[in-house]
Amino acid sequence: MDVYLDNAATTFPKPLAVPQAIYDYIINNGGTSGRGSYEKAILADGLVYQTRRTLAKLFNHADPKTVVFTASVTEALNLALTGILKPGDHVVTSSLEHNAVWRCLKTMERDIGISISIVPATPDGETSSEDVKKAITPKTRLIVFTHASNVLGTIQPIAAIGALAKENNILFLVDAAQTAGVLPIDVQAQKIDLLAFTGHKSLLGPMGTGGLVVNCDVPIKPLISGGTGGDSAYEYQPDYYPNHLEAGTMNVSGIIGLKAALDFLNAEGIANIRNKEDQLMNYALEALQTVPGIELYGPQNAAKTVGVIPFNLINHAPEEIAFFLDQQCHVMIRSGLHCAPSAHRLIGTISRGTCRIGIGYFNDPSHIDALINGLNAYIKENK
Ligand SMILES: Cc1ncc(COP(=O)(O)O)c(C=O)c1O
């Protein structure tokens, strides 16, 4: 039996309806969206619009037109940051950010002279809106925060930070890579101006899908320019949504797959999904504690995290453990640094990294049992 426990990287498997919808579109339609006027192209366009609408509903966003598709959450974050920030702007961020945020900010600091303040976190990955408040200066233009750390799983106080941002007239950008599909997100109640999401993690859709929900009027410079299927004689990117921030032929097959995934999520219910993952987290946390020489990181409390558990075995390299688990036990986990170096600094694992399991909706307790058996077998062989 293959056991997949790397769902924080990407979820696997997908609901069967996802590949079926993609197959059906490619075999039976194949038309591009927003370009042709024949029936199949109009059908494809309608499916893309329905996907925007389903996403808008999921995030309680009022206007589907301002749900902009990108190829990934990385692209969505880069679009928001590079499209909004100007020389001299100050940004407040967390010490848990993925490189999708961090490298983009550092590049803008070096190349155009933005400045960055980093809000501290405890070794469990907890931050406070009070510390965010202290970091705000008169030049603060934007706060960017991950909704949950991909290294520690810790959920961040997004609603409190959103309220603070609103009070201070500062834009609030949230990286929902680890939370969309598993935690409720409400851009209006949580005062999120810009929400970057990915399709291929807990939304259970295909890779190559993601987007930016634009819940504010701020001008955003497009990341790319090109064809939009309309106003073709106009020599610049149109200023209306979604075309303003979408250029080139869209990933219609991926978006249709994402729509099937969203329909699955809605049918199952996000609260039920969260509940199942929480129960598995508790089961896994308890079981992992029985493994000799294990070091667990993060809050070790399902209510405070998404389904991510980082750990090490004292005196063993994470890569060797993950290799053994894969080759000998068919258990797939992640090892190393998970693209968020400052989160590793918090827990003292910047040089060696960690093992990480990512629990998903399709895991069950037998998968955790296989992991624990594998870890015990590794310890026995590598005393
Ligand atoms: C918190 C967070 N942000 C951003 C990303 C980047 O996702 P992608 O590589 O799919 O763009 C990830 C992926 O692991 C993540 O966990």
Side-chain angles (χ1 to χ4, degrees):
M1 173 182 70
D2 270 353
V3 171
Y4 183 79
L5 283 170
D6 195 17
N7 290 284
T10 194
T11 49
F12 179 82
K14 307 296 181 188
L16 209 54
V18 173
Q20 279 168 346
I22 296 172
Y23 181 85
D24 178 54
Y25 162 74
I26 290 178
I27 294 293
N28 296 316
N29 184 317
T32 187
S33 157
R35 270 86 174 150
S37 52
Y38 44 91
E39 200 175 326
K40 284 191 170 174
I42 290 168
L43 190 69
D45 204 33
L47 287 168
V48 169
Y49 181 72
Q50 279 174 38
T51 315
R52 288 189 214 279
R53 215 172 49 184
T54 310
L55 285 161
K57 198 160 174 224
L58 179 69
F59 301 132
N60 194 28
H61 177 56
D63 182 6
K65 288 199 300 304
T66 50
V67 175
V68 171
F69 286 115
T70 60
S72 64
V73 66
T74 299
E75 187 184 320
L77 289 161
N78 274 257
L79 167 63
L81 293 170
T82 62
I84 291 173
L85 294 173
K86 304 228 161 43
D89 283 344
H90 175 248
V91 176
V92 176
T93 191
S94 80
S95 38
L96 301 159
E97 296 307 307
H98 189 277
N99 275 338
V101 167
W102 187 240
R103 284 186 172 161
C104 186
L105 288 179
K106 286 300 283 180
T107 305
M108 294 184 80
E109 179 188 51
R110 182 191 65 194
D111 295 350
I112 72 159
I114 64 162
S115 59
I116 311 167
S117 291
I118 303 164
V119 174
T122 67
D124 284 349
E126 286 170 353
T127 57
S128 87
S129 58
E130 276 308 304
D131 286 332
V132 176
K133 193 173 185 177
K134 283 184 209 148
I136 292 174
T137 74
K139 290 200 163 163
T140 307
R141 181 94 196 287
L142 182 132
I143 298 171
V144 52
F145 243 74
T146 188
H147 192 178
S149 160
N150 66 313
V151 173
L152 299 164
T154 322
I155 299 165
Q156 302 304 306
I158 289 307
I161 301 171
L164 184 69
K166 188 67 43 191
E167 269 167 38
N168 289 275
N169 205 18
I170 294 167
L171 292 165
F172 186 35
L173 166 62
V174 172
D175 173 0
Q178 290 294 333
T179 54
V182 75
L183 290 186
I185 297 177
D186 182 327
V187 293
Q188 298 187 55
Q190 293 169 316
K191 313 248 183 291
I192 298 169
D193 295 304
L194 300 137
L195 181 79
F197 65 92
T198 178
H200 72 92
K201 297 188 196 258
S202 292
L203 288 180
L204 305 177
M207 293 175 189
T209 59
L212 185 69
V213 177
V214 182
N215 183 33
C216 59
D217 297 332
V218 70
I220 305 178
K221 196 162 57 77
L223 203 55
I224 52 172
S225 305
T228 54
D231 297 310
S232 296
Y234 184 60
E235 291 180 311
Y236 302 95
Q237 203 58 20
D239 60 1
Y240 52 85
Y241 280 89
N243 300 35
H244 180 52
L245 299 180
E246 287 177 354
T249 298
M250 303 187 77
N251 176 11
V252 179
S253 48
I255 292 169
I256 284 173
L258 178 59
K259 166 85 171 59
L262 294 168
D263 290 345
F264 174 89
L265 279 183
N266 285 328
E268 299 293 300
I270 287 191
N272 294 331
I273 290 173
R274 168 78 174 149
N275 201 14
K276 182 179 171 199
E277 292 192 14
D278 268 11
Q279 282 176 22
L280 267 179
M281 272 291 279
N282 285 330
Y283 185 81
L285 283 166
E286 204 169 303
L288 281 165
Q289 270 153 16
T290 66
V291 175
I294 199 161
E295 268 174 358
L296 288 163
Y297 308 102
Q300 296 170 52
N301 176 344
K304 291 186 172 182
T305 63
V306 289
V308 168
I309 307 178
F311 66 91
N312 271 317
L313 295 181
I314 293 167
N315 297 330
H316 294 279
E319 288 76 10
E320 280 172 21
I321 301 164
F323 184 73
F324 178 92
L325 288 175
D326 181 39
Q327 297 295 307
Q328 306 292 324
C329 318
H330 309 286
V331 174
M332 290 161 263
I333 66 163
R334 178 84 181 258
S335 64
L337 298 177
H338 317 303
C339 300
S342 54
H344 283 281
R345 280 189 198 99
L346 288 175
I347 54 172
T349 59
I350 187 69
S351 54
R352 65 174 173 155
T354 67
C355 295
R356 179 185 74 179
I357 67 165
I359 290 172
Y361 187 54
F362 295 110
N363 286 128
D364 64 48
S366 74
H367 298 158
I368 307 298
D369 296 344
L371 168 74
I372 303 297
N373 291 339
L375 287 171
N376 284 324
Y378 172 85
I379 291 166
K380 203 164 158 197
E381 270 200 26
N382 296 280
K383 272 199 185 130

